[in-house]
């Protein structure tokens, strides 16, 4: 098991704990950054929209004031308009309020020396009877401004009202909001990191604090156990539903592995296998499934009287059963042959033929007898030697032949005795 304080695995890579924390922290940081940027953009538009709405309301109220409209035809318009414009500017906390005639000559300005001069920006839009809202650079610097026309009683444009605030003031107000947004973002990131650490701790407890390479090893081991071994494995939960079944189990039961998982055990297992699964069987119980002989072992489906998960193990003993049957049959034949006096490799039928031929051909050699029976000389000699060793044939050397003397055999008992033994072996 890895140490909790370790940041790297034995292979040199980062531990799962560090990887999860970093990954979640990265996600939190990216999401927070996106949310912060979005909030900043929205706040910037909100600040500007608020200023524009306020400037538009002030400009329209000035343009509709009867005193302003009447003063436009006075001999000295600034004498009436300048005090009103400055009072409204200070009350509205604006940078400037400029009233000009149809020729663009100022009747009011925060700097009284500018009165009587032509406006520094293009007044064509409000003089055309339309409202202008935007950013322009005037005598006081770049500013957000609103321009509206002043209409006479005959609905003709007789002048303009320009209201604005320095862009630096609007940006400064937005910057104040921005500090709060950045602070909130940093707080969210810190909380996200602590939350990531807590989630990582919960996840690691759920996976028993295993590292990825350890989890991989467990998965591979399970893969080997479930799908590469010849022994069938079936796991059933407390409700009797099959939760796990390997390929060997499906093959032994004659069903598809995909059909087993999620199926109720009672619908695919016969009564004997259900008994092993339910009651448990440590030593193993032989069970016949179709033409197969299986040995079933079970863990039991109840623990201290309560329903519990259980496992059924199946092992195919069909081939072993056949081998045992063949071995038992061979042992019986060997034992019978021993009881009948026949050594290994000799058959009763051939022994009967050799015994009969030896009576018909007395003093025959193994070669002569083999030729008469169409068997090899070696096989004929083995049977003749067996008859001679049991006293049923006589063996003697014939010196009449050229070269080495030959061995000849003669029957030493009636044919009926030999036939009786052969019949006994066949029975």
């Amino acid at each position: 098991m890895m140490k909790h304080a370790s940041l790297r695995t034995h292979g040199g890579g980062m531990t799962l704990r560090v990887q999860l924390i970093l990954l979640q922290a990265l996600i939190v940081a990216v999401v927070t950054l996106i949310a912060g940027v979005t909030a900043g953009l929205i706040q910037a538009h909100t600040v500007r929209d608020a200023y524009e709405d306020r400037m538009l309301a002030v400009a329209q109220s000035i343009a509709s004031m009867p005193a302003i409209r009447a003063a436009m035809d006075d001999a000295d318009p600034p004498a009436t308009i300048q005090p009103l414009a400055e009072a409204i500017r200070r009350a509205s906390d604006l940078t400037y309020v400029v009233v000009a005639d149809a020729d663009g000559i100022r009747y009011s300005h925060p700097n009284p020396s500018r009165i009587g001069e032509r406006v520094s920006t293009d007044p064509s839009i409000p003089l055309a009877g339309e409202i202008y809202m935007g950013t322009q650079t005037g005598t006081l610097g770049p500013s957000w401004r609103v321009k509206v026309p002043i209409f006479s009683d005959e609905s003709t444009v007789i002048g303009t009202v320009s209201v604005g605030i320095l862009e630096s003031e609007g940006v400064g107000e937005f910057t104040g909001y921005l500090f709060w947004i950045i602070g909130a973002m940093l707080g969210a990131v810190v909380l996200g990191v602590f939350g990531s650490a807590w989630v990582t701790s919960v996840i690691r407890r759920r996976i028993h604090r295993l590292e990825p390479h350890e989890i991989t090893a467990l998965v591979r081991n399970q893969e080997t156990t479930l799908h590469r071994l010849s022994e069938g494995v079936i796991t059933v939960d407390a409700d009797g539903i099959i939760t796990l079944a390997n390929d060997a189990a499906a093959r032994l039961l004659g069903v598809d592995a995909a059909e087993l998982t999620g199926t109720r055990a009672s619908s695919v297992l016969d009564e004997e296998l259900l008994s092993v699964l339910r009651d448990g069987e440590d030593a193993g119980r032989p069970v016949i499934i179709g033409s197969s002989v299986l040995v079933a072992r079970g863990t039991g489906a109840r623990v201290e009287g309560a329903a519990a998960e259980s496992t059924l193990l199946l092992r195919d003993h069909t081939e072993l059963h056949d081998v045992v049957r063949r071995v038992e049959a061979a042992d019986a034949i060997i034992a019978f042959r021993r009881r009948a006096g026949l050594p290994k490799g000799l058959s009763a039928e051939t022994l009967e033929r050799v015994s009969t031929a030896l009576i018909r051909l007395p003093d025959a050699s193994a070669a002569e007898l083999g030729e008469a029976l169409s068997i090899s000389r070696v096989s004929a000699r083995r049977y003749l030697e067996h008859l001679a060793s049991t006293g049923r044939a006589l063996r003697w050397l014939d010196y009449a032949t050229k070269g080495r003397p030959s061995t000849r055999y003669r029957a030493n008992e009636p044919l009926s005795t030999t036939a009786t033994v052969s019949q006994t072996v066949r029975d």
Side-chain angles (χ1 to χ4, degrees):
M1 188 66 64
M2 302 300 296
K3 293 183 178 180
H4 296 249
S6 177
L7 298 180
R8 294 187 175 273
T9 61
H10 295 308
M14 289 186 294
T15 63
L16 180 62
R17 174 173 174 267
V18 175
Q19 292 181 43
L20 286 175
I21 291 178
L22 291 180
L23 180 61
Q24 293 177 86
L26 177 62
I27 294 174
V28 170
V30 171
V31 172
T32 303
L33 178 61
I34 294 174
V37 171
T38 303
L41 294 174
I42 293 175
Q43 186 62 37
H45 286 291
T46 300
V47 170
R48 175 138 188 172
D49 290 343
Y51 272 109
E52 288 181 345
D53 290 343
R54 187 172 63 175
M55 290 187 296
L56 179 61
V58 171
Q60 287 179 334
S61 66
I62 293 174
S64 62
M65 290 177 65
I68 297 295
R69 295 167 61 185
M72 298 295 290
D73 294 329
D74 290 349
D76 187 11
T80 304
I81 297 175
Q82 173 69 4
L84 289 174
E86 283 300 296
I88 294 173
R89 180 183 69 81
R90 287 191 292 268
S92 302
D93 193 22
L94 297 175
T95 301
Y96 65 87
V97 173
V98 175
V99 178
D101 63 8
D103 295 326
I105 303 301
R106 298 190 186 98
Y107 289 160
S108 68
H109 195 277
N111 184 0
S113 63
R114 295 287 184 178
I115 297 175
E117 297 179 357
R118 185 176 178 81
V119 294
S120 58
T121 58
D122 182 16
S124 59
I125 294 178
L127 289 176
E130 298 178 1
I131 298 175
Y132 169 81
M133 289 190 293
T135 302
Q136 290 180 330
T137 301
T139 57
L140 301 177
S143 61
W144 300 341
R145 61 183 62 194
V146 173
K147 297 179 182 180
V148 299
I150 301 175
F151 293 99
S152 65
D153 294 337
E154 292 78 19
S155 300
T156 60
V157 177
I158 59 176
T160 63
V161 177
S162 178
V163 175
I165 184 172
L166 289 177
E167 188 176 35
S168 57
E169 293 184 16
V171 172
E173 183 174 346
F174 167 70
T175 303
Y177 289 116
L178 188 61
F179 285 134
W180 286 101
I181 294 175
I182 294 176
M185 290 171 59
L186 293 177
V189 170
V190 172
L191 291 177
V193 170
F194 281 104
S196 300
W198 177 77
V199 171
T200 299
S201 177
V202 172
I203 292 175
R204 294 191 72 236
R205 283 199 300 268
R206 293 289 180 88
I207 61 174
H208 306 287
R209 301 188 183 279
L210 295 176
E211 293 298 326
H213 67 277
E214 295 172 322
I215 297 175
T216 301
L218 288 177
V219 172
R220 288 177 178 173
N221 290 339
Q222 185 185 43
E223 182 75 14
T224 299
T225 301
L226 292 181
H227 302 293
R228 298 182 184 178
L229 296 181
S230 59
E231 190 174 58
V233 180
I234 297 176
T235 300
V236 181
D237 63 12
D239 297 325
I241 304 299
I242 297 176
T243 57
L244 184 148
N246 65 350
D247 296 338
R251 176 177 52 82
L252 294 175
L253 296 177
V255 296
D256 186 31
E259 298 177 359
L260 286 177
T261 305
T263 305
R264 185 165 292 278
S266 57
S267 63
V268 294
L269 301 179
D270 62 13
E271 187 59 34
E272 196 163 3
L273 289 178
L274 287 174
S275 174
V276 174
L277 182 67
R278 181 177 56 253
D279 301 333
E281 182 68 48
D282 294 333
R285 182 187 304 176
V287 178
I288 298 178
I289 304 296
S291 60
S292 301
V293 179
L294 308 180
V295 173
R297 290 182 295 150
T299 59
R302 305 191 73 81
V303 176
E304 297 180 354
E309 185 179 71
S310 57
T311 301
L312 179 67
L313 302 179
L314 302 174
R315 178 170 294 178
D316 190 0
H317 277 212
T318 304
E319 294 183 0
L320 179 60
H321 182 71
D322 293 340
V323 170
V324 170
R325 290 178 58 187
R326 288 195 294 269
V327 170
E328 290 177 349
D331 288 342
I333 293 174
I334 292 174
F336 188 77
R337 284 179 173 177
R338 288 177 179 174
R339 290 195 301 270
L342 291 179
K344 184 178 180 180
L346 301 183
S347 66
E349 292 79 2
T350 306
L351 179 62
E352 180 182 3
R353 292 177 61 201
V354 172
S355 299
T356 304
L358 188 59
I359 293 174
R360 290 189 295 102
L361 301 172
D363 300 329
S365 65
E368 294 170 347
L369 198 62
E371 183 178 356
L373 296 177
S374 299
I375 61 176
S376 67
R377 178 178 59 84
V378 175
S379 297
R381 177 172 293 174
R382 288 188 62 195
Y383 283 97
L384 291 171
E385 287 296 326
H386 172 68
L387 292 175
S389 64
T390 56
R392 284 175 283 176
L394 299 176
R395 183 193 310 112
W396 57 281
L397 298 176
D398 182 9
Y399 291 95
T401 58
K402 295 181 179 181
R404 296 177 58 185
S406 62
T407 304
R408 294 186 176 274
Y409 302 88
R410 176 181 296 175
N412 192 32
E413 58 183 10
L415 177 61
S416 59
T417 303
T418 303
T420 302
V421 174
S422 299
Q423 183 64 32
T424 302
V425 172
R426 285 198 303 273
D427 294 340

